[in-house]
Amino acid sequence: MIENTEILDAQEIAEKPVLVAGSGRRFANLLLDTVFFYIICIILGIVIAVISPSSLSFLDEDNSLVNYLLGFLLSMTYYTIFEYNTGRTIAKFITKTKTVTEAGEKPELNTILVRSLCRFIPFDALSFLGNGVGWHDTISKTRVVLV
């Protein structure tokens, strides 16, 4: 027996509801991205240490400002490169979610930069626990949706 399949035109597809990722997936994204971010930082540090050990000498001193700035730059790079190019971080690939604009489109670079920058707002990482929409989503006018 042949099943009846419905062919949707482009307008019907555009009107199809998009499901915003819930707080459970968002929390999984946070945990997984933190792990992958540190793994990438460790690998990067090892590569730099092998190529040019003296270039890491600035890390010998206990300078909180330098450590914070380095973490800020690496984090901005991680989130911006992944989300701008693919709409996803490594964790979002695993949890089958994606970053889109509120209109459901691919975000532009400036939108992703704002989104990445907003992650440094104190307690932003916990802001999505209520309804699955965090401050960095609201401010950048983006959403994390199921793929």
Side-chain angles (χ1 to χ4, degrees), residues 37-103:
F37 172 73
Y38 282 116
I39 289 171
I40 290 171
C41 287
I42 290 168
I43 292 170
L44 181 63
I46 291 170
V47 168
I48 293 172
V50 168
I51 294 172
S52 175
S54 62
S55 63
L56 294 177
S57 62
F58 71 94
L59 294 175
D60 289 341
E61 297 177 24
D62 188 23
N63 189 333
S64 296
L65 180 61
V66 170
N67 293 339
Y68 184 80
L69 287 175
L70 185 59
F72 172 79
L73 290 173
L74 290 172
S75 182
M76 285 290 293
T77 302
Y78 173 80
Y79 284 105
T80 302
I81 286 175
F82 276 107
E83 288 191 328
Y84 178 68
N85 289 314
T86 65
R88 300 167 151 188
T89 58
I90 297 172
K92 286 184 182 79
F93 278 104
I94 295 169
T95 62
K96 296 180 179 14
T97 57
K98 184 176 186 176
T99 301
V100 296
T101 64
E102 289 177 335

Side-chain angles (χ1 to χ4, degrees), residues 81-133:
I81 286 175
F82 276 107
E83 288 191 328
Y84 178 68
N85 289 314
T86 65
R88 300 167 151 188
T89 58
I90 297 172
K92 286 184 182 79
F93 278 104
I94 295 169
T95 62
K96 296 180 179 14
T97 57
K98 184 176 186 176
T99 301
V100 296
T101 64
E102 289 177 335
E105 300 171 352
K106 180 185 186 292
E108 295 182 7
L109 180 58
N110 61 341
T111 302
I112 294 297
L113 285 170
V114 168
R115 179 179 168 80
S116 298
L117 187 61
C118 288
R119 292 177 189 276
F120 291 91
I121 296 171
F123 304 107
D124 171 72
L126 303 176
S127 66
F128 62 84
L129 290 177
N131 61 2
V133 178

Side-chain angles (χ1 to χ4, degrees), residues 5-20:
T5 57
E6 193 175 342
I7 300 174
L8 302 175
D9 65 13
Q11 183 178 359
E12 289 174 318
I13 292 170
E15 293 172 358
K16 203 172 181 182
V18 176
L19 296 176
V20 175

Side-chain angles (χ1 to χ4, degrees), residues 25-36:
R25 283 188 200 233
R26 299 298 304 271
F27 189 65
N29 286 344
L30 172 66
L31 293 178
L32 290 169
D33 274 330
T34 300
V35 169
F36 286 116

